[in-house]
Amino acid sequence: MSNHVYKSLELTGSSSTGIEDAVQTAIAKAHETVRNIQWFTVTETRGHVVDGKVAHWQVTLKIGFTLE
């Protein structure tokens, strides 16, 4: 295994479906322009409530990617 240098970005994904979908949305969007994504950490989870029900999830995460 070789040594790597990582850079991290903070993202917030959202979904009306659930937390996992919000994470997938954020990572998929980042993947369009960021190469070598290796890991992620969820740092915050929150939601939007409408009429006493969860209407939307927002998940903030840090993604790490290797520098070339």
Side-chain angles (χ1 to χ4, degrees), residues 12-61:
T12 301
S14 62
S15 171
S16 59
T17 306
I19 295 168
E20 286 187 38
D21 191 50
V23 170
Q24 291 287 352
T25 298
I27 291 173
K29 187 64 176 176
H31 178 70
E32 293 177 10
T33 57
V34 177
R35 294 187 304 272
N36 304 319
I37 296 173
Q38 300 293 322
W39 54 266
F40 73 93
T41 303
V42 174
T43 59
E44 184 178 6
T45 305
R46 61 187 175 272
H48 179 225
V49 177
V50 175
D51 295 328
K53 296 180 182 177
V54 176
H56 224 84
W57 292 95
Q58 292 180 329
V59 179
T60 300
L61 56 143

